[in-house]
Amino acid sequence: MRIKVVLIDGYIDDPAALGVPPYISPIARAVAGAAIDAGGDVEYITIDMIRKGLKIPDAKVSVVISGNTVPGKYIRSMPMSLKEIESLLPSLKGWKLIGGSAATADVAKRFDFAIRKDLAASLYDGMTGKEVGERYRDLDEWNRWMILGADIVKQHHDFPYPLVAEIESYRGCHRYASGGCSYCIEPLKGKPLMRSPKDILEEARKLRELGVRNIRIGGQTCIISYGSKDDSGTPRPNPDAVSELFHGLKGLGFKTIHVDNANPAVISRYPDESEIILKTLVDCCTPGNVLALGMESADINVIRANNLNSTPEQVLDAIRMINRIGGHRGDNGMPCLLPGLNIIAGLDGESKATYDMNMEFLQRLIDEGLIVRRINIRQVLPIRKAFDTKVDPNRFKKYKQSIRESVDHVMLQRMVPKGTVLKDVFMEIHDGNITFGRQIGSYPLLIGIPYKLECGKSYDIIITDWGYRSVTGLTYPFDINHESMGAIASLPSIGKKRSATIVRYRPYTSYDDLSRAIDDKKVIEGLKGLLSFE
């Protein structure tokens, strides 16, 4: 008789695994695969299903995954809170395990096992009669479980669209011998364990056959270093391995293929190999793709004190190259490949001058005309060790606001100038009369449409304005003869009074004809390129 396992996905969000909708994390699929491999039947449910009233079924084994190690802002959902975990406990039946960063919380002590390393491996050991300890899966288990657990994607509430399945390429960090960055746990996993292109493609093919349309190759500390056989901290890249993997993925017919992190030091030290790899990513991946670069700090004292992986000059080298190779606009309206930038406050050795150095670095990007897709600014979390530096909350708040106003705003203007048409923007939520949507992928640009559109549906959007972290747009083409008065009022320089006049004199056949309702030629000129006259 097979063992009933209920798997509750409370969502993972950390640098090695995205799992908040529309993502489904590889950790959840590995746990499902391990349970099936051990003789279990798995029922997969998400915390959002429970929030909407789904009752937790009876089971012999109850597994909970939850926790975010990187603070994030979410649109439609968010990771399960510790209070929610506590409220679920009385409903969990049988043998109870919890994994993810929530396994370190006090509430985890009320589970039979709180697993900090590899929940899938520990579950498999327990279900097959072995001692439940802390270990990592081996490569054979890894590949086998990802195939066995793939079917749970069909039970996710975002399947088949806009669901994004993250696929891991390797674990560990090439800088493991030196201990890596002081705040990061990835070097503690040891020497990188690489999955072969063949095994990753087998998992991707299975997901595509099931109906998954969007994937991200994630989990790795540096996609540029994928397949490298160099055991140094800054390895020479292997363009052939990256080419084999991504050309194989391109041939499977996914709508979205994006990637994760890259080490700027590798790109800077090996420009020839890195250029080949970046061109492969541009050729094989979907526009809007982001390579997250871990600068963390532009202060050399902080870099040394925390064994950070890159100098500011190396980061600048990488940003220049990514802009040169991937900065052109793709068929969905976004640049093909752009850098992202991570900055962390509160690291050892930080001083008041650190903030100034970071701002000076960002100003260099502006002065050189470069584009960064997003700048992630956060305070360090003491996951690996405690940090002595005290972050002044007021100074940190002003510092973030200064970057948002003086840097992010400029980057958005460069990335999506007025009149840029972004295709297939998926509408997610209403906030009053505003509809917010995003394209599907990594770090998608948040777009506000100043009138109500149908959520769960995709539209082409033309950009009309920029905020600090988001942009404003209108449906494109904007049908002046059929849109609502409220939507027309949101057009540049129109407003309620002019929109009422426009509606009164419809239909129109051209911009010249529109002058029957608008007597200001400058206003009509500002509408050119936005409207259609169906």
Side-chain angles (χ1 to χ4, degrees), residues 335-528:
C336 289
L337 180 67
L338 288 176
L341 200 57
N342 298 331
I343 297 175
I344 299 179
L347 294 170
D348 290 337
E350 184 176 284
S351 66
K352 291 181 180 179
T354 303
Y355 290 71
D356 295 332
M357 293 180 200
N358 290 341
M359 289 299 298
E360 288 167 7
F361 178 87
L362 296 175
Q363 186 60 48
R364 289 181 70 182
L365 303 183
I366 293 174
D367 293 343
E368 289 194 27
L370 298 167
I371 303 176
V372 173
R373 162 59 196 96
R374 64 103 182 102
I375 302 170
N376 185 11
I377 311 159
R378 63 182 177 91
Q379 295 185 45
V380 68
L381 294 175
I383 297 171
R384 180 172 169 182
K385 55 162 281 188
F387 291 85
D388 294 331
T389 302
K390 303 298 182 185
V391 177
D392 183 296
N394 290 325
R395 187 199 307 151
F396 182 71
K397 183 178 179 180
K398 290 178 182 177
Y399 166 64
K400 281 188 72 170
Q401 187 64 23
S402 177
I403 292 175
R404 298 301 176 229
E405 293 175 358
S406 63
V407 182
D408 281 337
H409 190 67
V410 174
M411 293 300 174
L412 288 177
Q413 289 176 315
R414 290 176 179 176
M415 185 168 50
V416 284
K418 282 185 180 179
T420 301
V421 177
L422 299 183
K423 296 182 178 179
D424 293 328
V425 178
F426 184 81
M427 298 302 148
E428 299 193 66
I429 61 166
H430 293 127
D431 184 3
N433 285 322
I434 301 174
T435 309
F436 285 100
R438 301 177 291 183
Q439 292 176 314
I440 304 304
S442 294
Y443 312 111
L445 187 59
L446 182 64
I447 306 166
I449 295 85
Y451 45 92
K452 283 195 174 179
L453 295 172
E454 183 180 344
C455 288
K457 187 176 177 181
S458 295
Y459 299 80
D460 292 348
I461 302 295
I462 187 167
I463 302 305
T464 59
D465 202 359
W466 315 273
Y468 301 137
R469 297 282 279 169
S470 62
V471 296
T472 300
L474 306 170
T475 44
Y476 180 83
F478 189 96
D479 185 354
I480 195 68
N481 288 322
H482 294 93
E483 287 286 0
S484 69
M485 189 183 301
I488 292 170
S490 68
L491 289 167
S493 302
I494 297 300
K496 290 182 179 180
K497 188 174 180 179
R498 279 186 173 140
S499 68
T501 304
I502 289 170
V503 169
R504 185 180 310 131
Y505 291 110
R506 289 196 296 199
Y508 305 96
T509 59
S510 66
Y511 286 100
D512 287 340
D513 191 24
L514 190 59
S515 64
R516 290 189 288 115
I518 302 175
D519 57 3
D520 189 329
K521 289 183 179 180
K522 288 184 179 179
V523 173
I524 292 179
E525 195 65 30
L527 296 175
K528 287 187 175 177

